[in-house]
Amino acid sequence: MKLSEDVSGPTVALKERAVLLFREHLGAVRRRTDRLFAGLMLAQWAFGILVALFVAPYGWGGKDGAPHAHVYAALFLGAALTVFPIALARWRPGDAATRHGVALAQMLWSSLLIHLTGGRVETHFHVFVSLAFLALYRDPWVLLSATCATIADHIIRGFLWPESVYGVVDPEWWRFLEHGFWVGILDMVLLHAGRGMRREMREVAVRRAELELAREREEEKSAALDRALRELSGFQEHLIRVEKLAAVGQLAASVGHELRNPLAAVRNAHAYLSRRLSRDVIGAADDPRVPQFLGVMERELGACAKIISDLLDFARERPPALQPCPLRPLVDEAIGVVPPRDGVRIINEVPESLPVPSLDKEQFRQVLVNLVQNAVEAMPTGRTGQVSVLAEGQDAGPWAIRVIDDGAGIPPDVLPKIFEPLFTTKTRGTGLGLAIVANMVQRHGGTISVRSEAGRGSEFHIHLPATAAAQAA
């Protein structure tokens, strides 16, 4: 159902939905009551036959010695009063004609039972019970039909055959008024109760309609949110592609720039050596610039190899191959790879008794090399300093590895960017070193953070969870 908003009060859609739900509920109740009376009719038929066989001879004692007429009445008249409402309940459940047909048959059943018992007062209570059952329809017109049928029966039979109604041959003429009065009292009680039940059903219908409308609104909001999320996801994918293309362009420019300088030095050295050797091969051995240019070529080719190696380390996504890896010897290997610098002391403070974690040895050595080399390069020229590598861990707990220097520190505006690829403050370098470190630590399931203070140094802190750095036997 299409909803229309009206914040000043209940919506038209809400009212229409509430009315529809109320009618559906009321129809279900009436169809259920039809089935109830269909079963009740069959039970009454069997009960009427038993009454005709065993009670009627005593109720009509002295008047008709043979019970057969009552048995026939219970059998055939009872069949007519039973089959008719059952057929209505079967073929037209919930219809107004069915309700009134059932009410008429039920009240005639009361008349028949009163007759079979010779007008006994106790049997008249069947009228009241029948009215109470008919009130389940929540239809005041059904009670009116049943009441009219009962009063008409009492008036007609009261004049024609009073003994079948009141049990006496000559009752007072106003006896039907007395019975009608009590039936009227019961009707008022049942009408009041039925009115209350219909009011409750309307309230329930309104609440159900409100819930349904609220659910529809939530579903519309959810659908709108899903569309927004899909659009956002598409936009993010587009943005990622754009960023990747930009990164590739920036990386290509950075690598090209970094390779151009060493390759230019190599080309110049090669040109000089070629000219020198073409002029005098033997005399070139005594030329002091030949070994100098050969050294330049070796150094610059090493720089090119370093750039390409960093690029490959950043691009590759090889998962770590964990194996037992003692930390202290690994730190010694990393320190041995870092070029020494005058005045800067590198100290391995990893305890020898530290348990052995499981790490990818090659990747983690690269992590330590990059961090230690950065720490050494962070030391101001002409100043002494110290770089320390520490580690701590427990058998079943997390691990922490720290690289601490007392260098110049990292400026606050630079600190948030140091792990971004291609970001560097150095005159030479691709800006991939710390990005490679962060990637390798993440592949181990760990995190890396940095704390720095200008003029007092920096501390890189690697945190590895217990599962990533599981203890080796």
Side-chain angles (χ1 to χ4, degrees), residues 366-402:
Q366 184 64 36
V367 168
L368 294 172
V369 167
N370 286 355
L371 291 179
V372 172
Q373 185 165 351
N374 279 349
V376 172
E377 293 175 353
M379 208 67 66
T381 305
R383 207 192 89 180
T384 59
Q386 177 176 301
V387 177
S388 301
V389 181
L390 303 90
E392 56 186 10
Q394 300 175 356
D395 291 340
W399 285 68
I401 302 170
R402 292 180 294 162

Side-chain angles (χ1 to χ4, degrees), residues 52 92 136 257 425:
R92 304 188 63 178
L136 296 176
H257 175 75
T425 58

Side-chain angles (χ1 to χ4, degrees), residues 353-358 392-399 464-473:
S353 59
L354 197 68
V356 179
S358 287
E392 56 186 10
Q394 300 175 356
D395 291 340
W399 285 68
L464 296 175
T467 52
Q471 294 290 319

Side-chain angles (χ1 to χ4, degrees), residues 203-275:
E203 292 174 354
V204 171
V206 170
R207 287 196 291 270
R208 285 184 57 189
E210 290 174 345
L211 290 175
E212 289 182 358
L213 295 179
R215 185 166 59 248
E216 289 181 4
R217 292 192 184 98
E218 291 300 323
E219 290 175 353
E220 290 179 353
K221 292 179 180 177
S222 178
L225 182 60
D226 289 341
R227 288 195 299 272
L229 289 175
R230 286 195 296 272
E231 293 175 357
L232 180 60
S233 177
F235 178 75
Q236 287 178 334
E237 292 178 358
H238 175 71
L239 183 61
I240 290 172
R241 287 196 297 271
V242 172
E243 289 180 346
K244 284 183 177 179
L245 291 175
V248 169
Q250 187 177 358
L251 181 61
S254 177
V255 171
H257 175 75
E258 292 302 322
L259 288 176
R260 184 178 59 185
N261 293 332
L263 288 178
V266 171
R267 186 176 58 187
N268 293 335
H270 177 265
Y272 175 80
L273 292 176
S274 297
R275 289 194 302 271

Side-chain angles (χ1 to χ4, degrees), residues 285-298:
D286 298 328
D287 188 346
R289 299 193 64 182
V290 170
Q292 178 184 354
F293 278 108
L294 289 175
V296 169
M297 291 176 67
E298 182 180 1

Side-chain angles (χ1 to χ4, degrees), residues 70-91:
H70 303 293
V71 174
Y72 294 145
L75 187 61
F76 295 107
L77 187 56
L81 295 178
T82 301
V83 173
F84 175 65
I86 289 178
L88 288 175
R90 173 66 179 82
W91 302 110

Side-chain angles (χ1 to χ4, degrees), residues 37 40-41 44-45 47-48 51 77-78 81-82 102-134 146-147 149-151 153-154 157 164-166 179 183 186:
F37 271 104
L40 182 62
M41 293 296 174
Q44 286 180 150
W45 190 15
F47 180 71
V51 169
L77 187 56
L81 295 178
T82 301
V102 168
L104 181 62
Q106 182 64 21
M107 303 319 294
L108 292 178
W109 257 112
S110 296
S111 300
L112 179 59
L113 291 175
I114 292 171
H115 168 79
L116 293 176
T117 58
R120 291 182 64 86
V121 176
E122 295 84 352
T123 318
H124 283 260
F125 283 99
H126 187 274
V127 174
F128 302 121
V129 174
S130 297
L131 289 172
F133 274 97
L134 290 171
T147 301
T150 298
I151 292 175
D153 172 69
H154 279 58
R157 283 200 299 153
S164 67
V165 182
Y166 305 116
H179 287 231
V183 169
L186 178 61

